[in-house]
Amino acid sequence: MNKERKLIIAGNWKMNKTVAEALDLVHGLKLELSGVKEVDMVVCPPFTALSEVSKAILDSNIRLGAQNMSEHNVGAYTGEIAAVMLKEFSVRYVILGHSERRQYQKESDALISKKAHAVHAASLKPIICVGETLAEREDNQTEKVLETQARGSLAGLSKEQMAETILAYEPVWAIGTGKTATTAQAQDAHAFLRGLLGKMFDETVARRVRIQYGGSVKASNARELMSQPDVDGALVGGASLEARSFGDIIKNSI
Ligand code: 13P
């Protein structure tokens, strides 16, 4: 597939996989994906598996991401993980503001923006998630919600930082439900977000930023979604937990 931006497909393993299970999965992925150069491929295991997964993918084309990070650098923040700790394991990407964290940990756009600044200060790349609920979509609030979340979560980033930021459009109603956004719904939301980036930053930045789609992505719908002009990759949950299904999503997207 000939795209303006290089596709980036990431697996968000969420709270799944012990170290042993994580190693099984990455060994499978290395076999499935050894020849792939066309797509940036990322796995985001739970923190407890970062160390071992990092070693296992050292000699591969797979990169490492984390699922969250503290906005602080060091200190008395029980249960938190700082950027410098992630860098020990050669983590390159950090998912921020996933809807599950917005919902269960009550993360606000202001907090996500602080985290985004901390991620950039450490020369890591944030994957910042935005997306509307079903009630918001049915109430025709999708664009308003996306704009509020994007303006809040990306507040204060420089153009250079924004160009190195990945956005993930994840409609909450499509996450883990088996209900994927139609290609038109995905393209419309992505085009809206890119237009917004043009207003918030400039056209050059807007053209450079990669926007992933997330929400029930599977091998059977990946190709159609990735063929949309403003869809530059995927953030995959459930289907990233098996080497075959994640591998097929990537192969079908090329
Ligand atoms: P599913 O692919 O399981 O719907 O999850 C999507 C997601 O939340 C990725 O971050």
Side-chain angles (χ1 to χ4, degrees):
M1 208 178 283
N2 202 5
K3 301 275 294 189
E4 188 178 346
R5 292 162 288 272
K6 190 175 185 187
L7 289 178
I8 175 162
I9 299 184
N12 174 10
W13 297 1
K14 307 190 180 182
M15 199 175 72
N16 293 285
K17 306 291 178 188
T18 62
V19 172
E21 290 165 348
L23 286 175
D24 268 357
L25 175 51
V26 282
H27 290 140
L29 286 174
K30 281 168 71 176
L31 292 175
E32 287 273 339
L33 299 169
S34 61
V36 174
K37 293 187 214 61
E38 300 88 337
V39 178
D40 286 335
M41 301 181 291
V42 184
V43 291
C44 305
F47 290 123
T48 46
L50 285 176
S51 170
E52 290 300 317
V53 170
S54 168
K55 285 182 234 162
I57 60 175
L58 210 54
D59 57 347
S60 82
N61 47 1
I62 300 169
R63 299 287 169 261
L64 196 57
Q67 298 176 21
N68 180 34
M69 197 187 94
S70 174
E71 71 276 27
H72 302 291
N73 292 329
V74 66
Y77 301 102
T78 302
E80 292 291 302
I81 307 279
V84 65
M85 301 167 185
L86 297 179
K87 291 186 68 140
E88 280 191 298
F89 304 124
S90 308
V91 164
R92 309 246 185 131
Y93 299 90
V94 184
I95 299 173
L96 294 180
H98 191 280
S99 64
E100 287 148 16
R101 295 199 62 85
R102 290 177 183 266
Q103 185 183 350
Y104 305 132
Q105 274 76 32
K106 303 283 176 273
E107 289 199 356
S108 65
D109 292 324
L111 176 66
I112 295 159
S113 143
K114 281 189 194 156
K115 292 185 179 203
H117 284 273
V119 167
H120 279 298
S123 302
L124 299 167
K125 293 184 203 294
I127 298 177
I128 299 183
C129 306
V130 295
E132 81 289 359
T133 63
L134 186 59
E136 289 163 342
R137 174 165 284 270
E138 285 175 345
D139 196 25
N140 286 322
Q141 299 294 307
T142 298
E143 293 189 349
K144 185 163 167 268
V145 170
L146 295 182
E147 176 153 3
T148 303
Q149 291 180 343
R151 285 194 183 275
S153 309
L154 306 173
L157 293 183
S158 67
K159 288 181 186 177
E160 291 71 24
Q161 288 171 328
M162 188 64 228
E164 297 297 322
T165 297
I166 292 132
L167 266 190
Y169 169 59
E170 295 210 313
V172 178
W173 48 272
I175 295 177
T177 57
K179 226 196 239 178
T180 319
T182 63
T183 47
Q185 285 171 327
Q187 169 57 26
D188 283 354
H190 285 227
F192 173 77
L193 285 168
R194 200 176 305 286
L196 183 61
L197 293 174
K199 285 190 249 168
M200 291 172 63
F201 298 90
D202 65 27
E203 286 308 315
T204 312
V205 171
R207 268 210 311 278
R208 274 193 56 188
V209 172
R210 294 185 288 181
I211 308 178
Q212 296 176 314
Y213 168 80
S216 299
V217 174
K218 17 184 201 285
S220 57
N221 58 27
R223 189 172 181 80
E224 215 189 327
L225 284 162
M226 297 311 126
S227 69
Q228 299 302 304
D230 287 296
V231 178
D232 312 307
L235 186 55
V236 186
S240 72
L241 298 176
E242 282 181 17
R244 171 61 73 82
S245 52
F246 192 59
D248 283 349
I249 287 172
I250 289 166
K251 289 180 205 160
N252 291 352
S253 300
I254 296 171

